[in-house]
Amino acid sequence: MGYQENTAGVPTYWGQSGKPLQRLVTIVATIDFLLFGYDQGVMSGIISGAPFVADFPQVDNDSTWQGFVVSIYAVGCFFGALLILMVGDKLGRRKAIFIGATIMIIGVTIQLACVPPSHGATAQFIIGRFITGMGNGINTSTIPIWQAECSHSHNRGKLICIEGGNVAIGTLIAYWLDYGASYGPHAFVWRFPIAFQVVFAISVIVLMTDLPESPRWLLSHDRVDEATTILAALNGESRSDPRLKTQLGNLRAAIRASGQLDNKTKFSDLFTGGPTQHFRRMLLGFSSQMMQQLSGCNAVIYYFPILFEKAIGTSQNTALLLGGVNQIVYALFATTSWFAVERVGRRKLYLIGTVGQCLSMVLTFAALIPGTAGAAKGAAVGLFTYIAFFGATWLPLPWLYPAEINPLKTRAKATASSTVSNWLWNFFIVMITPVLVSNTGTSGWGTYLFFAILNAIFFPIIYFLYPETAGRSLEEIDIIFAKGYAENISYVKAAEELPFLAESEVIDKAREYGIDVQTEEYAGDEYTEKPLALTPSSDGSAA
């Protein structure tokens, strides 16, 4: 990785700095999460198709085999996230993204190299799915952190929601590409949709060759010179700009306050309390991913066509087309979070989504109880409204919240643990939903009652335990938890009471709430410790 300077002396990557460079970071994150959504949805449209069944006869009318072939991907994602949990801090963000995308390409290649029909071909396909999942688990644990650490506080949420919302768009692409490929030649029907994943992965690798590492990760490894260049590029400033020197000094001080300057984060650090509240913050991210899966999203996404075909009596083709319309609704509403997450805030979006999902599930199970095709149409409405609320709120937020709620010291490990949570519960729900639908009343109405109850339980958890982080720098969020701990108040209340802070004010507040920290003064390429002093801005206020 190298950089060049433009005529104004500003470092550039791909010839870009400032906002254009931030857009490139967002484009890479978006492509990777498009791949995430695509890979998650690609099997749903081909696994029951005649060509796939002919080539892999083990899945023919065998729900256990079908479930295994689909869900083994989630197991791979789990192990990929586990790998980042163990070595993510050591690898760094860029290297992990390269490794994740490369592993996904290897997994796809293994799947395409199958020579069916044979038991060996089925086993090879399953291994390929597992390896592809590992690559995705690595990237979904890393990309949100990288983007959060390269973003400014005023638009960090919007950028990561653009990334997370593209899961729905990736699933939409997979659904309709599967549908179109079903009219092609025998081998094309499943091989082309599987192969298409490589387009996304190669795009990520190519773009990452000249995009920067996270400046906060570099600072935590005491690579100050590299971090200076990258911060300058992201800010659109020269390396000698006085504002950059102040920012670097404050970031270094915040990193020292978090205990991350020596970069020796142990697993035991995830379970500490005190002013940093590492354990509580890890649990907030972990629980957000758990609740996303337990809300019933996969029961709707995967089993929507089945409901139409069995409960309402439509033809298989009509059911698939309506499933495609459902995916369009999903993708459209996923884009609304891009505009709402900074204006409305994380907490309110979580709460709005929880209420909407709960009421949608209530409508769905109530309409299925009579067991008539006419009443079941009400259930279809419930599923449409559910996916709209989910796409606008609970789809992107659990990818944003862990990346910003956790401090730098534990961010990689804690965010990876939340991704592990996502894939554990994803696997659980995908495996139990067919059983629930088959054994809980007419058309499985008890399944949707179960998810309605869970969504109702989530509301008080969010209301009482999840503090607002919108508009805060990553270092300000540390102060929220230090304030809550020092004053023995809820962290929700601490976030409401804490005024928005300038970078230099964060250091004052860190000391006020019991975090001992030395600030640093930048002089050329050297840092020297000095007493805290607020840096005046052009209008005379503290900057």
Side-chain angles (χ1 to χ4, degrees):
M1 180 191 72
Y3 74 93
Q4 295 181 340
E5 290 187 355
N6 61 21
T7 54
V10 177
T12 63
Y13 296 85
W14 286 113
Q16 305 295 324
S17 63
K19 287 185 178 179
L21 178 57
Q22 295 234 351
R23 290 190 193 104
L24 278 176
V25 170
T26 302
I27 286 169
V28 171
T30 295
I31 293 172
D32 192 84
F33 269 64
L34 278 171
L35 172 56
F36 168 26
Y38 182 92
D39 208 9
Q40 197 171 23
V42 69
M43 288 303 298
S44 64
I46 62 178
I47 194 162
S48 59
F52 190 85
V53 169
D55 286 349
F56 303 98
Q58 291 79 15
V59 304
D60 189 17
N61 291 319
D62 190 327
S63 58
T64 302
W65 267 100
Q66 287 182 356
F68 185 66
V69 170
V70 173
S71 60
I72 194 66
Y73 168 77
V75 177
C77 292
F78 166 78
F79 279 99
L82 206 59
L83 180 67
I84 294 301
L85 181 62
M86 294 185 288
V87 299
D89 277 319
K90 188 174 183 179
L91 284 175
R93 317 311 187 214
R94 281 185 85 247
K95 191 178 290 185
I97 293 166
F98 273 119
I99 291 170
T102 302
I103 288 175
M104 292 192 82
I105 292 171
I106 293 170
V108 170
T109 304
I110 290 171
Q111 292 172 71
L112 293 175
C114 291
V115 184
S118 68
H119 281 283
T122 305
Q124 182 177 332
F125 189 86
I126 289 169
I127 291 168
R129 281 282 289 169
F130 175 83
I131 292 173
T132 303
M134 276 195 68
N136 185 63
I138 290 169
N139 279 1
T140 54
S141 297
T142 307
I143 288 270
I145 304 173
W146 176 65
Q147 189 174 17
E149 292 178 345
C150 289
S151 301
H152 298 305
S153 58
H154 70 277
N155 65 353
R156 181 180 63 243
K158 177 181 178 179
L159 295 178
I160 298 180
C161 277
I162 289 173
E163 162 200 310
N166 272 280
V167 174
I169 297 173
T171 307
L172 172 68
I173 293 170
Y175 194 98
W176 285 105
L177 195 143
D178 282 351
Y179 186 78
S182 67
Y183 292 96
H186 179 99
F188 185 85
V189 170
W190 68 268
R191 288 186 187 271
F192 179 74
I194 294 294
F196 196 75
Q197 299 167 72
V198 174
V199 174
F200 299 109
I202 290 175
S203 299
V204 168
I205 289 173
V206 170
L207 285 169
M208 283 301 299
T209 56
D210 195 30
L211 283 176
E213 178 56 90
S214 156
R216 285 175 170 87
W217 182 83
L218 289 169
L219 286 173
S220 72
H221 285 68
D222 213 23
R223 291 160 63 176
V224 181
D225 191 61
E226 294 172 74
T228 302
T229 300
I230 292 167
L231 277 172
L234 290 169
N235 293 344
E237 301 167 344
S238 70
R239 283 171 51 95
S240 60
D241 192 296
R243 290 171 297 183
L244 177 64
K245 296 175 182 178
T246 301
Q247 182 183 16
L248 277 165
N250 290 330
L251 280 175
R252 291 269 291 174
I255 289 168
R256 183 180 294 246
S258 72
Q260 177 62 4
L261 196 58
D262 59 3
N263 190 44
K264 293 179 181 177
T265 303
K266 304 182 290 293
F267 279 102
S268 58
D269 291 329
L270 292 172
F271 302 96
T272 56
T276 57
Q277 288 293 300
H278 290 163
F279 183 54
R280 172 181 288 270
R281 295 162 79 172
M282 178 188 72
L283 286 181
L284 288 172
F286 187 95
S287 63
S288 70
Q289 291 280 22
M290 177 185 73
M291 289 188 287
Q292 183 200 60
Q293 293 302 313
L294 291 178
S295 72
C297 56
N298 284 314
V300 176
I301 294 167
Y302 291 146
Y303 299 101
F304 187 93
I306 293 174
L307 178 75
F308 267 85
E309 192 174 349
K310 293 187 176 179
I312 302 178
T314 65
S315 67
Q316 182 180 18
N317 191 60
T318 301
L320 288 173
L321 285 172
L322 288 169
V325 173
N326 191 44
Q327 294 293 339
I328 293 172
V329 171
Y330 183 28
L332 285 174
F333 276 86
T335 65
T336 63
S337 65
W338 306 354
F339 310 102
V341 69
E342 298 297 353
R343 294 178 183 177
V344 178
R346 284 61 155 158
R347 259 174 64 81
K348 286 182 181 176
L349 278 184
Y350 267 132
L351 293 171
I352 290 168
T354 303
V355 171
Q357 290 172 182
C358 179
L359 294 177
S360 297
M361 285 297 187
V362 169
L363 173 59
T364 301
F365 90 76
L368 287 175
I369 291 174
T372 63
K377 291 177 182 177
V381 173
L383 295 187
F384 272 113
T385 58
Y386 174 90
I387 207 66
F389 277 106
F390 176 79
T393 58
W394 276 93
L395 169 65
L397 288 175
W399 298 104
L400 163 63
Y401 206 69
E404 62 181 11
I405 201 70
N406 288 294
L408 180 60
K409 183 177 180 68
T410 60
R411 187 171 295 138
K413 283 183 169 60
T415 303
S417 76
S418 71
T419 309
V420 166
S421 168
N422 178 282
W423 295 113
L424 275 174
W425 292 105
N426 180 295
F427 178 76
F428 173 73
I429 292 297
V430 170
M431 290 298 289
I432 71 163
T433 297
V435 178
L436 286 173
V437 171
S438 300
N439 296 286
T440 55
T442 307
S443 299
W445 65 261
T447 306
Y448 305 99
L449 172 60
F450 171 68
F451 289 125
I453 293 170
L454 286 177
N455 277 280
I457 292 171
F458 298 159
F459 189 91
I461 294 173
I462 299 295
Y463 187 83
F464 291 109
L465 299 178
Y466 276 49
E468 182 57 72
T469 56
R472 301 283 189 181
S473 70
L474 296 176
E475 290 69 36
E476 270 182 280
I477 295 169
D478 295 340
I479 304 302
I480 289 172
F481 287 90
K483 174 181 171 67
Y485 177 79
E487 298 180 3
N488 195 25
I489 59 175
S490 81
Y491 299 94
V492 172
K493 185 177 181 182
E496 291 171 349
E497 290 183 354
L498 185 71
F500 286 91
L501 305 174
E503 285 182 350
S504 54
E505 291 176 306
V506 171
I507 310 304
D508 271 344
K509 287 293 183 182
R511 288 176 172 166
E512 180 183 336
Y513 293 122
I515 304 176
D516 186 26
V517 58
Q518 292 287 320
T519 59
E520 295 169 326
E521 185 175 50
Y522 184 85
D525 291 327
E526 300 294 330
Y527 278 87
T528 56
E529 292 184 355
K530 68 166 188 175
L532 178 70
L534 294 181
T535 304
S537 65
S538 58
D539 63 3
S541 61

